[in-house]
Amino acid sequence: MPSLQLSLSISPLTDPTLSPQPKPQSLLLVPHTPLRPKHLLCCLFATAKNAIIVEDQDAVVNGRVGADTSVPAEEDLLLPAGLQKEFMPKHVAVIMDGNRRWARMRGLPVVLGYEAGIRALRRVMGLCCKWGIIRVLTVFAFSSDNWFRPKVEVDFLMRLFGRGLKDELENFVRKNIRISVIGDSSKLPKPLQELIMAATETTKNNSGLHLIVAVNYSGQRDIVQACQSIALKAKDGLIEPEDINEFLIEQELDTRCAAFPHPDLLIRTSGELRVSNFLLWQLAYTELFFTQSHWPEFGESEFLEALHSFQQRQRRYGGKNT
């Protein structure tokens, strides 16, 4: 492919208070390697003395080459029409319901419903990363009550979760996503426990979206184990009974790993109107949104519907309407 030369007229960056102003100078750029068509879309940074061609436009943020693109700069956020940045939730929780129903309605094996659910989760994660305002996404992947389902289904879910962690880990690292897993992991298969430990350790310092996956989770158990931990501290004389308050309990809940432990918005798919033992303490003042869509068909339009509904509400936290 023939090389491409660019001849540009460039005005140097100067102080407008200085006089006289330098005149624009012509600059001839001759790339060391041939420019492919996509490079015509690349960003060009130039002064009178030098010029830089950046071949990967995704690596440029606010004029910085190699900047972290996982968290968009505040001025670069492009929210969909009708959404207001200041009223976006920081923490969204999702009960991903309806995978089996979605498959059965289409005459498909149940396992294909769960695999379609994984794709829906990727879509939602991608939107959270793209918009950059939602900082925590917590998803209910497997309830402690789900052990009562057929063994073949439970075994498949455990394998699917392990495979998903393996497949997505590189993506988490590339997109600066941190993953945490909450719930009683001691009952999970040993290989899955090891995968969870490796994924959480690998991503623990990532500063983009925080994905929290609830596996073998029970909201009731979460509160019980928090109380047990506090009771042991009281027994050992580390705290007094009168020291126990809401803040102390929250420090013992599984969601203590998150910068924003309380969901602003809970979304439940598939038409069910209950919280099903999910984040019972944390949902005290959460706005609830229920949709008839099954989880595998949940995408940008459904997510936007939930966010628009959230932004139309007035959150008073028990106070008076203002």
Side-chain angles (χ1 to χ4, degrees):
M1 179 180 294
S3 61
L4 175 66
Q5 296 183 0
L6 302 178
S7 181
L8 304 173
S9 177
I10 299 174
S11 296
L13 300 177
T14 60
D15 185 342
T17 62
L18 297 178
S19 180
Q21 292 291 319
K23 296 180 179 180
Q25 299 184 22
S26 295
L27 182 65
L28 180 65
L29 299 179
V30 183
H32 294 292
T33 58
L35 286 176
R36 297 185 295 275
K38 72 169 186 175
H39 294 159
L40 297 178
L41 301 176
C42 296
C43 300
L44 174 68
F45 302 92
T47 67
K49 293 183 178 180
N50 56 62
I52 304 171
I53 289 183
V54 183
E55 295 194 355
D56 183 2
Q57 60 266 37
D58 292 333
V60 181
V61 175
N62 290 339
R64 302 194 310 276
V65 180
D68 175 16
T69 60
S70 60
V71 182
E74 190 104 343
E75 58 271 30
D76 291 338
L77 295 173
L78 294 176
L79 290 177
L83 290 181
Q84 301 179 64
K85 179 182 63 177
E86 59 271 25
F87 297 123
M88 285 287 286
K90 294 292 187 183
H91 184 167
V92 174
V94 183
I95 299 177
M96 306 180 294
D97 198 14
N99 295 307
R100 296 191 299 176
R101 273 166 280 183
W102 179 87
R104 288 169 179 161
M105 287 172 59
R106 288 160 177 76
L108 300 173
V110 168
V111 296
L112 295 184
Y114 288 121
E115 290 184 344
I118 292 290
R119 293 193 293 272
L121 177 56
R122 290 195 188 105
R123 287 196 298 270
V124 171
M125 287 170 51
L127 291 170
C128 290
C129 292
K130 174 183 176 182
W131 297 332
I133 298 292
I134 298 170
R135 307 299 298 132
V136 183
L137 175 66
T138 301
V139 296
F140 203 2
F142 189 85
S143 167
S144 58
D145 297 322
N146 291 153
W147 293 107
F148 297 105
R149 293 185 176 182
K151 185 177 185 302
V152 64
E153 183 178 336
V154 171
D155 290 345
F156 173 80
L157 287 172
M158 294 297 114
R159 291 195 301 270
L160 182 64
F161 185 34
R163 192 175 75 216
L165 277 178
K166 284 182 179 179
D167 293 345
E168 291 298 320
L169 185 55
E170 183 178 340
N171 185 48
F172 291 158
V173 173
R174 184 174 64 254
K175 293 189 174 181
N176 199 25
I177 296 172
R178 176 189 173 193
I179 183 170
S180 298
V181 177
I182 61 175
D184 184 6
S185 60
S186 66
K187 295 183 179 180
L188 302 178
K190 196 69 176 178
L192 181 53
Q193 293 184 41
E194 294 171 355
L195 282 172
I196 290 172
M197 291 178 61
T200 54
E201 180 66 22
T202 300
T203 64
K204 67 179 182 181
N205 294 320
N206 289 356
S207 58
L209 176 69
H210 188 181
L211 174 66
I212 302 177
V213 184
V215 182
N216 193 28
Y217 179 84
S218 159
Q220 292 174 331
R221 174 206 158 272
D222 196 5
I223 297 172
V224 168
Q225 64 84 23
C227 293
Q228 290 173 336
S229 178
I230 292 172
L232 287 175
K233 291 180 179 179
K235 179 182 177 182
D236 294 339
L238 299 177
I239 59 173
E240 297 296 329
E242 55 269 22
D243 295 330
I244 301 173
N245 54 27
E246 294 91 339
F247 177 78
L248 195 60
I249 293 174
E250 289 179 356
Q251 295 307 300
E252 301 294 340
L253 295 172
D254 284 352
T255 45
R256 63 185 179 276
C257 63
F260 302 94
H262 302 107
D264 300 296
L265 171 65
L266 170 72
I267 300 171
R268 178 162 189 161
T269 57
S270 203
E272 302 294 350
L273 306 178
R274 53 180 178 268
V275 298
S276 295
N277 199 15
F278 183 47
L279 300 177
L280 296 182
W281 177 284
Q282 297 88 336
L283 294 178
Y285 291 103
T286 299
E287 298 294 328
L288 309 180
F289 180 84
F290 301 99
T291 176
Q292 295 294 323
S293 300
H294 301 305
W295 176 244
E297 58 198 19
F298 192 90
E300 182 170 3
S301 61
E302 290 80 11
F303 201 6
L304 288 175
E305 182 184 2
L307 293 173
H308 282 297
S309 175
F310 174 81
Q311 294 203 343
Q312 291 168 5
R313 305 181 190 185
Q314 186 174 37
R315 306 186 72 192
R316 296 189 295 274
Y317 301 98
K320 292 182 179 180
N321 191 358
T322 56

